[in-house]
Amino acid sequence: MATKRVKSKVCVGSSDDSEVEPISKPDKKKRGTTQAQKVSNPAKKAKKDSDSDDDSSNGNSWSLSAKRFVTINSFRGKMMVDIREHYLDENGEQKPGKKGISLSLDQWEKLKEFIPQIDAKLAS
């Protein structure tokens, strides 16, 4: 049986060329997200929205200014104090931005120890 190759197709045929049938190679998988992956999971989004609502309604968030907030939340099972700027998304909802810092409880306690010294330097 004779085999002929073409750039993107493989032709398989017998000794008689009139019966040659092209066989397509399988397409290589493209990297990146597929259309199915791009569709957001409504349950996941609802959970995320409810988590952010819980912070403010349960007293876990305090406003420092119009766009800056202190929030207590859990990250990888550890409690964190988050001081962060927020922004308005295209729907007009306030979301946490990139500018900010998350402090572990140890770091938070250390920062509180420095407050009298910082106040003294600011007063002088």
Side-chain angles (χ1 to χ4, degrees):
M1 178 160 80
T3 304
K4 295 181 183 178
R5 291 193 138 208
V6 181
K7 279 186 181 179
S8 64
K9 297 180 181 179
V10 176
C11 295
V12 179
S14 61
S15 59
D16 183 13
D17 286 340
S18 64
E19 297 178 18
V20 175
E21 296 178 26
I23 299 175
S24 299
K25 287 184 179 180
D27 292 336
K28 291 183 180 180
K29 292 186 178 182
K30 295 179 182 177
R31 291 186 179 191
T33 57
T34 64
Q35 188 64 25
Q37 291 171 332
K38 289 180 184 178
V39 175
S40 65
N41 185 351
K44 186 175 180 181
K45 185 173 182 177
K47 181 182 182 299
K48 186 175 181 180
D49 288 345
S50 67
D51 285 347
S52 63
D53 292 341
D54 288 345
D55 288 341
S56 60
S57 64
N58 289 339
N60 291 341
S61 182
W62 297 268
S63 175
L64 295 176
S65 66
K67 292 186 177 183
R68 289 193 180 130
F69 292 87
V70 177
T71 307
I72 298 173
N73 53 30
S74 178
F75 179 72
R76 295 185 181 173
K78 293 185 178 182
M79 295 300 294
M80 306 291 280
V81 177
D82 191 53
I83 304 169
R84 190 158 305 278
E85 279 191 1
H86 285 62
Y87 69 96
L88 294 177
D89 69 358
E90 56 275 350
N91 297 328
E93 295 180 34
Q94 211 164 34
K95 302 282 184 178
K98 292 180 181 180
K99 292 182 181 180
I101 186 169
S102 289
L103 301 172
S104 67
L105 294 182
D106 292 338
Q107 294 169 331
W108 173 249
E109 291 300 325
K110 189 73 168 177
L111 178 62
K112 290 191 318 185
E113 290 174 15
F114 292 135
I115 289 177
Q117 297 169 16
I118 294 169
D119 283 340
K121 285 287 184 180
L122 290 172
S124 60

